[in-house]
Amino acid sequence: PSDKTCYLYVMNKRVLGMTTCHLISEGHVLDASLQTRSNESRKTLVGIHQLWVHSKHRQRGIAGMLIDTVRKHAVFGMFIPPTKLSFSSPTEAGARFARRYLAKQLDCSAEDVEVLVYDCC
C-alpha cells in the first residue's frame, strides 16, 4: 500500500527513531519460534511497516513510544488496542520486540501473546 504514514522521534534536531504504518484489515499469528506464520487470519487495524531506532539509542523506550504514537493517532478518535497491531515481516529482533511490547501492554508474559504479521507487498 502506498498510503503509509511516517512518525519520527527527534531529539536535538536529530532523527533517532522512525516508524511507518498503514491501515490494514488482517494479519496472521507468528509462531512461537518467531520464524513462520499461520495461515489463519485475524482481524487487525494497523500494520507497522517499518520500525527503526538509531543503534546508539536502542533500549531506551523509543520504539515503544513510536508504536504508542501510532496507536494513538493512526485512526482518528481511537486508541488502537495492541491486539489490533500487525508487523510486516519482522526480523528476529523485531519479533522479540513486538512480543515484549505486546506483553507489557497486555500485562502478561511474552510467551502468552500472539504477534500478528502481514505481507506488506
Side-chain angles (χ1 to χ4, degrees):
S2 60
D3 55 341
K4 293 181 184 76
T5 302
C6 180
Y7 296 94
L8 301 174
Y9 183 91
V10 179
M11 181 183 288
N12 298 326
K13 299 182 183 179
R14 293 191 158 216
V15 175
L16 301 182
M18 180 272 309
T19 189
T20 58
C21 66
H22 54 106
L23 301 180
I24 62 172
S25 59
E26 69 177 24
H28 301 272
V29 178
L30 190 63
D31 75 358
S33 72
L34 303 177
Q35 297 188 4
T36 59
R37 68 179 185 116
S38 71
N39 289 326
E40 182 182 346
S41 65
R42 297 266 204 288
K43 288 186 179 182
T44 187
L45 293 172
V46 173
I48 303 298
H49 181 251
Q50 296 172 303
L51 179 60
W52 169 83
V53 174
H54 188 286
S55 60
K56 292 182 180 179
H57 296 275
R58 292 182 182 158
Q59 302 297 316
R60 297 182 185 181
I62 294 171
M65 285 187 270
L66 285 166
I67 301 300
D68 288 345
T69 300
V70 168
R71 291 177 56 208
K72 184 176 180 182
H73 296 286
V75 177
F76 181 77
M78 179 181 190
F79 189 67
I80 296 167
T83 55
K84 298 297 182 188
L85 292 174
S86 284
F87 295 83
S88 167
S89 306
T91 62
E92 189 174 326
R96 284 194 312 269
F97 162 78
R99 184 159 281 164
R100 286 191 314 266
Y101 175 83
L102 293 171
K104 182 178 178 182
Q105 298 302 309
L106 298 169
D107 196 26
C108 65
S109 73
E111 295 80 31
D112 294 335
V113 299
E114 288 186 337
V115 175
L116 299 180
V117 295
Y118 72 102
D119 298 323
C120 67
C121 303

